[in-house]
Amino acid sequence: MKKILVIGMTSTPGGVESFLINYCLNKNMTGIQFDFLCPSENKIAYSEEIETQGNVYYVVPKSKNMLLHKKQLKKFFKTNSKEYIAVWANLNSLMNVDFLKIARRYGIKHIIVHSHNSGNMGGFLQKILHMKNKYFIGKIATEYWACSIGAAKWFYPQNITATIVKNAINVEKYAFDQFKREKIREEYDLDGCKVIGHIGRLHFQKNQSQLLTIMQQLIHADESYRLVLIGSGPDRETLIEETSQKGLEKYVIFAGEQKDIGGWLSAFDVFTFPSRFEGLSIVGLEAQANGIPIVASTKAINDEGLINSNVTRISLDSPIEVWCQSIKLSIKEERCEYSIIKEKFRSKCFDIDAEVEKMSKFFLSLY
């Protein structure tokens, strides 16, 4: 049994968390145990599922206590480093690379850095720290992965060539389900409504404020529109206040974190995705697995992540009227057929079973 130490799981279920669960807990990932090291004061997402197959270790976050953070990291690696063949760090930023330096210092041979983003999610300080560490990462890591070409370009200096690891998913899990559609729409009083759905962390990156502006225009002509926002995050209260200011309380549902993403995608009539930047979006793939018509920014679903024919991509510089018109037209479109979706996911290497086999072979080859 080869043991891999995974870094990057947080307490909030999001794209990186979904990616890790898709790969690490896949039934075909045999001969490998994944343990998780987490700088968090709260239980990580999917902790119960993870602990059926591996271990979860916690250290205090650097933002809470820098000295204690480093002390606990050193203690962990001094005690446990000989157990692991590799550290696999799944990151949105290179702001903090202490754990990678310490892991290497204590003799872990393979240090894998995996980029999951193509832009800065934090403030100015995070940007500066990322840029500083970007040019030293070649002296720390031994393998360089990224979810897309854009994520590789943003994360690594030009002299590093990254391996693209696809954000593959279980396509069947997100397939359209008429029963779940009817159940959710009845529960949330959505029968007879045109439901615009969005799933994502409530954060500047995801740009949910634009959806509120779109809704403000749509309901002027048709009050049957409803916007459902799935997710949590730092912008929740700000978005609720903006909803109130725009007089949209009747038309916007903040549904919080939800486990049955496939069911919610089935309940929506169109999926909207106006992100300012993405690496290669997991939820963009999940929505396409469902077959639902999608209206997205060109930053949200790039060429690498485009699978279905019913995806409309719009520049963030386009007028709101263009977004509104695209949503109106997309709601009238049919969902893509599951058999066609499944074949396209396979051909583009986004079907999880095939991609897990590749990753399993890589980890088993390490020594």
Side-chain angles (χ1 to χ4, degrees):
M1 178 71 70
K2 294 197 174 180
K3 295 180 72 174
I4 310 297
L5 184 66
V6 181
I7 294 167
M9 185 71 82
T10 73
S11 59
T12 303
V16 174
E17 290 76 16
S18 295
F19 168 86
L20 288 171
I21 291 300
N22 287 342
Y23 274 88
C24 296
L25 300 190
N26 188 278
K27 64 183 185 296
N28 295 321
M29 189 69 81
T30 56
I32 303 162
Q33 177 178 317
F34 295 97
D35 290 348
F36 290 75
L37 178 61
C38 312
S40 176
E41 295 180 310
N42 303 308
K43 275 199 166 188
I44 59 168
Y46 311 108
S47 59
E48 291 182 5
E49 294 96 320
I50 290 167
E51 287 171 346
T52 63
Q53 299 185 32
N55 301 304
V56 180
Y57 302 98
Y58 294 91
V59 295
V60 68
K62 188 174 184 178
S63 59
K64 294 292 183 181
N65 190 321
M66 185 183 300
L67 293 177
L68 184 57
H69 173 76
K70 284 193 174 182
K71 182 179 179 180
Q72 289 182 347
L73 282 177
K74 288 178 181 177
K75 182 179 179 181
F76 174 84
F77 282 107
K78 183 178 181 180
T79 304
N80 300 291
S81 62
K82 292 181 180 179
E83 292 187 34
Y84 299 104
I85 192 71
V87 169
W88 177 21
N90 295 266
L91 307 173
N92 286 315
S93 165
L94 289 170
M95 179 179 70
N96 179 15
V97 295
D98 291 344
F99 43 85
L100 300 180
K101 293 177 181 177
I102 295 170
R104 185 150 192 180
R105 190 182 309 158
Y106 281 96
I108 295 183
K109 189 174 180 181
H110 298 278
I111 309 293
I112 305 163
V113 176
H114 192 158
S115 167
H116 287 273
N117 219 341
S118 60
N120 181 39
M121 292 176 63
F124 181 72
L125 177 60
Q126 179 168 320
K127 181 179 180 180
I128 294 298
L129 290 172
H130 171 80
M131 296 306 294
K132 172 180 174 288
N133 289 326
K134 174 177 178 176
Y135 292 100
F136 291 101
I137 197 64
K139 296 180 180 179
I140 302 171
T142 57
E143 281 90 17
Y144 309 90
W145 295 357
C147 63
S148 68
I149 294 170
K153 285 182 177 178
W154 183 67
F155 229 72
Y156 304 117
Q158 290 183 353
N159 64 321
I160 287 177
T161 301
T163 299
I164 304 301
V165 176
K166 294 294 184 76
N167 285 355
I169 66 170
N170 179 344
V171 180
E172 185 178 355
K173 182 179 178 181
Y174 302 98
F176 176 72
D177 188 310
Q178 182 67 33
F179 174 77
K180 289 181 178 181
R181 174 182 172 85
E182 292 172 1
K183 183 179 179 182
I184 290 173
R185 289 175 75 97
E186 181 180 359
E187 181 180 351
Y188 284 82
D189 196 24
L190 295 171
D191 288 335
C193 296
K194 299 181 179 75
V195 182
I196 301 167
H198 173 82
I199 300 168
R201 189 166 183 248
L202 303 181
H203 182 275
F204 169 84
Q205 176 193 3
K206 305 298 183 180
N207 198 20
Q208 288 96 352
S209 180
Q210 178 155 318
L211 296 177
L212 298 180
T213 303
I214 290 168
M215 277 296 292
Q216 201 174 23
Q217 291 213 15
L218 287 173
I219 63 169
H220 280 314
D222 186 348
E223 292 194 2
S224 69
Y225 284 98
R226 297 291 184 272
L227 172 63
V228 178
L229 299 176
I230 305 291
S232 61
D235 288 357
R236 178 181 170 82
E237 296 306 318
T238 302
L239 289 166
I240 289 174
E241 184 178 347
E242 186 179 348
T243 299
S244 178
Q245 290 173 350
K246 285 182 161 67
L248 295 172
E249 298 101 317
K250 176 183 173 182
Y251 308 99
V252 180
I253 298 171
F254 287 85
E257 294 177 5
Q258 298 288 334
K259 288 188 175 181
D260 188 7
I261 297 303
W264 277 98
L265 288 166
S266 297
F268 300 156
D269 295 310
V270 61
F271 182 76
T272 49
F273 200 25
S275 291
R276 291 184 168 94
F277 55 90
E278 294 283 345
L280 197 149
S281 169
I282 291 279
V283 75
L285 295 171
E286 292 168 351
Q288 290 182 86
N290 181 267
I292 187 174
I294 298 172
V295 177
S297 71
T298 52
K299 301 290 186 180
I301 297 180
N302 57 24
D303 290 346
E304 295 167 81
L306 181 62
I307 297 171
N308 292 348
S309 58
N310 61 350
V311 178
T312 302
R313 295 186 293 171
I314 305 172
S315 168
L316 287 172
D317 296 326
S318 297
I320 290 297
E321 290 77 14
V322 174
W323 284 82
C324 291
Q325 185 61 22
S326 295
I327 288 170
K328 290 177 184 177
L329 293 173
S330 292
I331 281 179
K332 297 176 183 178
E333 286 194 61
E334 298 289 332
R335 277 177 162 80
C336 292
E337 291 184 19
Y338 177 75
S339 59
I340 296 173
I341 293 169
K342 183 72 172 176
E343 181 53 40
K344 285 185 176 180
F345 268 79
R346 282 177 180 162
S347 66
K348 292 203 169 188
C349 301
F350 285 116
D351 191 347
I352 189 64
D353 290 337
E355 298 311 299
V356 161
E357 186 177 345
K358 295 176 187 176
M359 186 176 286
S360 176
K361 286 180 179 178
F362 168 77
F363 282 131
L364 290 172
S365 73
L366 299 181
Y367 60 90

